[in-house]
Amino acid sequence: MAEAMPKVWVTNGRQKKLILGHPWVYGNEIDRVEGEAADGGLAEVVDFRGRTVGMGVYNSRSLLRVRLLTDRSETVTDELIAERVRAACRYREIVLSRPGTDCCRLIYGEADRLPGVICDRYGGVVVLQILSLGMERFTQVIADTLTECEKPSCLLLKNDDPIREKEGMACFSRVLSGTMPDEVIVHENGIALAMDPAGGQKTGGFLDQKDNHLFVRQFCRGGRVLDCFSYAGGFALNAAAAGAAEVTAVDISEAAVALIRRNAQLNGLAVGAVCANCFDYLREQVRLKERYDVIVLDPPAFTKAKANMASACRGYKEIALSAMRLLPAGGVLATHSCSYHMPEETFVNTVISAAQDLHRHVRIITLRRQDIDHPVLAGYPESHYLKSLWLQMME
Ligand code: SAH
């Protein structure tokens, strides 16, 4: 190891979570920095006694001052990064070998030991996002390895997340190889989905719900299904494919509603698409005394900070209350929270409290998570963000 490697001393006690697998050192966990630590450069992290915790990438401009890459004192080489990308792609073969599936998350940042690196596959299009300054200099090796493993028809570097500015990086989007088609059509468990990876939300789609989309099918046959916060219609399309008698998908965004219509047409499935605020729509359905057999709620993160927990809970409870009023005994409610800050237990209790307020009995069918291409890294709870609670209304 080079003599000049800067050393980041973490305060006593803070080494524990790092040793247990948490890859972030916050600025306020640092006692002192020895040597010249360059933003975006490598640094060795040591505990209060000077024992090596690992090697990471340093950025003085980020709250996450160091993101750990290894738990040894070793130089982080291009080859190490390439090997991690290969391992990430190898693991996703499990998902890509599901029948009728050609999309998945290839790299899930910290859970693939590539902090701040996100990569998604949409059919032949691979979309790469670098969100940490320290990983920026590995862009080329990551892109080359993705090309080697995935042989994409188009590789898009979608570095336009505003989070990059907080790290001191510019926002831009660039095709690295191939050509970007006007419309990308991906397949998820046999359902075709039109996507807009260049313009759409996140890297363009909601890959974390694939397995939950499939899961809804078994409850839908012959029933009346309402998919709230539907985006591209993942739940609605699967419900229709499973033989639901009537499916309605609701989203506030015109673009999402257009996508739902396009996707229904692509699959030859009947899905009614409504552009509305789901809070109002649900209330209106209650007023009209409508009844559904299955309702899916999948709102955006109501809270991006711990401080907003109470109002987030009110939001989850309000839509759960309305949904439960629309579900007779036997009806199924699938309700989601994609906010990391909302603990699973709090979310479950909030939804159950809605049933209690209504003097309704419910039972928990299952409690699910994000799909397995978004694995949760032990010791790093931030990588578990999606809660998927399935309830059945009882008499
Ligand atoms: N259920 C989708 C993902 C939903 S993401 C899937 O499985 O792929 C959340 C969606 O909620 C976004 O499409 C967003 O446009 C929509 N949304 C946000 N606020 C809303 C509101 N108040 N009413 C209806 N839709 C809303």
Side-chain angles (χ1 to χ4, degrees):
M1 200 182 61
E3 286 275 309
M5 184 62 71
K7 259 189 197 175
V8 174
W9 293 71
V10 293
T11 50
N12 190 2
R14 293 316 175 123
Q15 72 281 3
K16 280 187 206 133
K17 65 157 196 188
L18 303 173
I19 291 162
L20 294 176
H22 202 290
W24 294 346
V25 184
Y26 285 97
N28 62 6
E29 296 175 325
I30 294 174
D31 181 61
R32 63 186 189 280
V33 179
E34 223 175 81
E36 285 300 307
D39 287 348
L42 289 173
E44 182 180 5
V45 174
V46 297
D47 72 6
F48 66 105
R49 281 185 277 207
R51 281 188 303 207
T52 301
V53 173
M55 300 293 296
V57 280
Y58 181 86
N59 187 359
S60 69
R61 278 177 285 185
S62 173
L63 284 176
L64 310 181
R65 204 58 57 80
V66 185
R67 297 167 192 252
L68 283 171
L69 282 163
T70 77
D71 49 15
R72 285 182 299 277
S73 172
E74 64 183 341
T75 306
V76 178
T77 60
D78 279 5
E79 189 42 38
L80 179 88
I81 300 297
E83 202 33 61
R84 293 213 173 142
V85 174
R86 281 184 210 113
C89 292
R90 249 191 328 269
Y91 170 63
R92 270 56 178 206
E93 285 168 20
I94 299 169
V95 172
L96 292 171
S97 63
R98 289 177 185 163
T101 300
D102 63 6
C103 57
C104 73
R105 174 143 296 185
L106 289 170
I107 302 176
Y108 181 41
E110 280 70 358
D112 284 293
R113 302 198 79 190
L114 292 164
V117 180
I118 299 293
C119 182
D120 290 332
R121 179 169 187 127
Y122 297 106
V125 178
V126 169
V127 182
L128 172 64
Q129 237 175 7
I130 309 280
L131 303 171
S132 67
L133 180 66
M135 296 310 287
E136 183 97 313
R137 65 207 184 99
F138 296 112
T139 303
Q140 192 61 48
V141 61
I142 294 170
D144 290 348
T145 314
L146 284 168
T147 302
E148 161 201 316
C149 296
E150 299 294 316
K151 303 180 179 56
S153 60
C154 175
L155 178 57
L156 175 71
L157 182 61
K158 193 170 189 284
N159 276 346
D160 58 1
D161 193 307
I163 251 183
R164 281 178 55 93
E165 283 165 9
K166 290 197 181 150
E167 288 267 321
M169 300 185 285
C171 289
F172 65 95
S173 190
R174 187 166 73 232
V175 171
L176 295 182
S177 69
T179 26
M180 191 66 203
D182 292 336
E183 183 179 53
V184 180
I185 294 175
V186 304
H187 300 86
E188 183 195 293
N189 296 307
I191 302 279
L193 293 164
M195 293 263 144
D196 176 15
Q201 310 184 22
K202 297 206 209 169
T203 71
F206 286 87
L207 297 166
D208 48 8
Q209 288 282 28
K210 294 186 300 304
D211 203 33
N212 294 327
H213 289 160
L214 185 65
F215 195 76
V216 83
R217 288 194 195 185
Q218 58 202 324
F219 305 106
C220 295
R221 181 154 205 83
R224 195 171 184 224
V225 181
L226 180 60
D227 176 12
C228 293
F229 309 90
S230 183
Y231 183 51
F235 285 105
L237 294 160
N238 277 274
E246 188 194 315
V247 183
T248 306
V250 187
D251 201 284
I252 204 167
S253 138
E254 292 277 3
V257 171
L259 213 48
I260 297 164
R261 295 210 171 102
R262 172 86 183 104
N263 289 335
Q265 178 214 357
L266 266 177
N267 292 281
L269 292 169
V271 172
V274 177
C275 188
N277 181 331
C278 285
F279 284 82
D280 301 336
Y281 188 84
L282 284 163
R283 235 179 276 126
E284 181 65 6
Q285 294 293 293
V286 172
R287 200 184 61 80
L288 295 170
K289 298 196 165 37
E290 294 292 340
R291 287 285 173 273
Y292 291 90
D293 299 291
V294 178
I295 299 180
V296 179
L297 304 173
D298 186 17
F302 288 146
T303 171
K304 295 224 156 118
K306 267 199 197 122
N308 303 329
M309 275 275 284
S311 79
C313 285
R314 277 197 297 278
Y316 290 122
K317 186 161 176 179
E318 179 177 341
I319 51 177
L321 276 167
S322 295
M324 287 174 184
R325 288 190 167 108
L326 299 169
L327 290 164
V332 171
L333 173 63
T335 179
H336 299 87
S337 165
C338 61
S339 167
Y340 154 70
H341 295 289
M342 177 60 60
E344 193 164 73
E345 204 188 342
T346 312
F347 178 62
V348 172
N349 290 340
T350 302
V351 176
I352 301 283
S353 77
Q356 288 164 345
D357 284 10
L358 296 172
H359 305 290
R360 298 281 301 273
H361 290 287
V362 293
R363 58 186 181 191
I364 295 178
I365 298 173
T366 188
L367 186 50
R368 298 165 63 83
R369 290 186 167 182
Q370 61 232 30
D371 203 352
I372 64 165
D373 43 354
H374 301 60
V376 178
L377 180 66
Y380 174 60
E382 286 86 340
S383 53
H384 171 211
Y385 64 98
L386 184 65
K387 277 76 62 182
S388 173
L389 172 63
W390 298 64
L391 295 177
Q392 188 173 41
M393 307 306 294
M394 300 178 74
E395 281 177 43

